[in-house]
Amino acid sequence: MAKGANAKRILAFTGAAAFMAVAVNLLIYVVNAHKEKRRKKRGLPGSNVRVNLSASEIKQLTDCIIAKSNEIHDVVASVHLEKVSYINAVAPLVDLEEYQYPLVQSCIFQKMVATSDDVRKASADAERRLDSHFLMCRKREDVYRVIKAFENRGEWLGPEAKRYVQCLSLDKTEEGKLKVFLRSCHVSPILEYCKIGSTRKSVAVAYWQRRGRENLDILENLVRLRHKFARVLGYSNYADYAIVPRMAKSSSKVFEFLEEVSDNVSDLATTELNFLKELKLKEEGDTFFGMEDLLYYIRRAEELHFNLDMAEVRQYFPVNLVLSGIFKILQDIFGLKFKEVKDIEIWHETVNLYAVLDLSSKELLGYVYLDMFSRQGKFAHTCVLSLQNGCSSSKGIQQLPVTLLISHFPKQIDECPALLRFSDVISLFHEFSHVVHHICNRATFSRFSGLHVEGDFVEIPSHLLENWCYENISLKLMSGFHKDITKSITNEMCKSLKKKRDLFSGLKLRQEILTCLFDQIIHSSDNIDIVELLRHLHPKIMLGIPLLDGTNPASFLSRSAICYDATCYSQLWSEVFAADIFVTKFQDDLLNQHAGLQFRNKVLAAGGSKEPLDILSDYLGRKPSIQSFIQIKARNSLPVPELK
């Protein structure tokens, strides 16, 4: 009887299992059939519109659109101005618009009709990202130069193609006046190039008034909520809450730092402003100098000071040569050897993996993946990601640091190598410093490894290494004319690039200090009238130049609202201490490996395991100072050119 019962139970179990297997297979069949049916429904003849995207598909498609757009704009920008034609300058942009328009609409129309909250949110996010990207594209001076060069050649075009090229300029009214939208791609060139002061002023006022009261209400509400949040956690104000875990430690220290820098650049900024006022007097007569004049006359002064064609400079920076130069500089300074690893699993054929070794001992220190070229679906900005922190486990097992550097440079086309803008060279060098920081970190605990350091300390190595982008010896290591790489960048170009960086640095610093002080005051005090605060603060910091009447600070000081609340000072803080290190240790010997190895072993290796101020003091042999920073700016900015 027992055996019979067991047999029945076994039969029942196997029968149920068989039934479940059939059910699962049926479910899989139904799901696949639904997917296939859905896929077939998308295939509307003659249409590339995608009408039923999920939230994740919208994000993925947005990434693809941005990556493809960057790739095409980089291709156009790389065309030599003497070889422009409709085929290489205009046609790629025409084809891009045709390709991307239905895809863009597929992403953004869902916010108006989708039944899912997630899809509507993803669609709205996609619209913001795409608007920001296309705004950036319209501001690309390198692409504009190519289009303008094509227009100047006078190549014959059909009427529709001719109208398309004309559409890349501003529209005109019936009276022949140019229409200007209040977008930075239109406003910035006007403030830099328009000779008529009244036009500059009207455009500046309109631009800085946009969405005034609405944005101001948002900022004021954010500040109130932040103070409330900080007090719940036991802090007297939000600024102290935000700064305590940073190198500065307190809001009062930030105020002290900003005031010290401001005072030390006051004379320099005054000299620069007086020069600009004299320049305006010469060009426009005895008229008041306002904020609307600053960009225009700085640009005019740069024209008087030196003549530097950035498009020509770009011809000297093929990406592979820049990369090999960076490797050589990092080897000479920090004793690091970058050795490519072949036949290893990667996610795309253009990705390279490098092992980083100590030059002397040959010890393997870590790895870095380089994913440097544009492609569809790829993240569209330059950055560094930590994939694995270097640390020792409690069992004594050493884990090597692994990092990834992402860029979006154009790929080589035929015989023409990918060329980098000078700003790209700086950006690449900047990000490589994060790679070096990550690889050289020797903290025991993962929490202190990688780039897990204070927010106002993490950028100090990056700002330090940026200095090498402006020195002859290092620029020549990274450069070579793309048609003959034995011809490096000229000494005159190197000199001009350095001058361009620091020209009118006093005034530029006062503008940065204005933003930082504003941010610090509203986040460290209650019931601040934001408009009245800036109306009082602006002329005090900007040497008597008042805030433009009727303009609203919330329109153009967005960093206080997003990402840098109470920490706008961080970038300037990092620049100041990086300058102290550069002047003290490297200025007289750019390839000083003794100082470099000390920096690697005392600063980079410590990671977040020690207090940053203690780390820097130990390396410098004293507390950091702002004086080196001030000296660099003053020395490179002056003398300003004489007026004739």
Side-chain angles (χ1 to χ4, degrees), residues 437 440-444 448 599-609:
H437 198 169
C440 293
N441 193 320
R442 286 295 174 265
T444 302
F448 301 130
F599 187 80
R600 171 182 153 187
N601 295 325
K602 288 189 173 184
V603 180
L604 302 181
S609 63

Side-chain angles (χ1 to χ4, degrees), residues 318-347:
V319 62
N320 290 334
L321 197 58
V322 172
L323 189 61
S324 64
I326 290 175
F327 286 162
K328 180 66 168 65
I329 293 167
L330 296 178
Q331 174 178 303
D332 290 345
I333 299 173
F334 299 120
L336 300 175
K337 178 71 174 178
F338 288 78
K339 183 178 180 180
E340 188 170 5
V341 180
K342 299 286 191 179
D343 301 322
I344 200 74
E345 184 179 2
I346 52 176
W347 53 91

Side-chain angles (χ1 to χ4, degrees), residues 285-387:
D286 190 9
T287 55
F288 181 78
F289 191 98
M291 284 302 294
E292 71 276 10
D293 299 315
L294 200 59
L295 287 178
Y296 175 77
Y297 283 103
I298 284 178
R299 183 191 62 80
R300 288 288 292 116
E302 287 179 349
E303 289 177 349
L304 292 172
H305 204 5
F306 58 85
N307 184 23
L308 182 64
D309 184 349
M310 298 306 289
E312 183 183 358
V313 170
R314 185 177 186 174
Q315 307 299 311
Y316 287 86
F317 291 109
V319 62
N320 290 334
L321 197 58
V322 172
L323 189 61
S324 64
I326 290 175
F327 286 162
K328 180 66 168 65
I329 293 167
L330 296 178
Q331 174 178 303
D332 290 345
I333 299 173
F334 299 120
L336 300 175
K337 178 71 174 178
F338 288 78
K339 183 178 180 180
E340 188 170 5
V341 180
K342 299 286 191 179
D343 301 322
I344 200 74
E345 184 179 2
I346 52 176
W347 53 91
H348 191 268
E349 61 184 6
T350 61
V351 174
N352 300 102
L353 174 66
Y354 289 86
V356 186
L357 302 95
D358 179 83
L359 185 63
S360 298
S361 68
K362 311 304 180 188
E363 175 191 359
L364 177 62
L365 303 176
Y367 298 97
V368 56
Y369 289 96
L370 300 186
D371 191 344
M372 299 184 64
F373 300 103
S374 297
R375 63 175 180 274
Q376 284 191 358
K378 183 183 169 185
F379 183 70
H381 299 282
T382 301
C383 68
V384 167
L385 299 178
S386 170
L387 302 183

Side-chain angles (χ1 to χ4, degrees), residues 37 45 115 212 235 426 644:
K37 184 178 180 182
T115 57
Y235 295 89
I426 298 170
K644 298 180 180 179

Side-chain angles (χ1 to χ4, degrees), residues 67-85:
K68 182 67 173 179
S69 176
N70 280 326
E71 179 183 347
I72 297 301
H73 279 84
D74 286 341
V75 167
V76 173
S78 68
V79 176
H80 196 280
L81 297 183
E82 295 179 358
K83 296 183 178 180
V84 293
S85 66

Side-chain angles (χ1 to χ4, degrees), residues 586-613:
F586 296 101
Q587 183 171 255
D588 296 330
D589 185 358
L590 289 168
L591 302 180
N592 183 344
Q593 192 168 101
H594 175 72
L597 289 175
Q598 278 193 323
F599 187 80
R600 171 182 153 187
N601 295 325
K602 288 189 173 184
V603 180
L604 302 181
S609 63
K610 298 179 181 178
E611 287 289 338
L613 189 59

Side-chain angles (χ1 to χ4, degrees), residues 520-534:
Q520 206 60 211
I521 291 171
I522 64 174
H523 286 108
S524 60
S525 308
D526 271 335
N527 302 318
I528 293 291
D529 184 328
I530 289 179
V531 174
E532 190 58 36
L533 168 65
L534 202 62

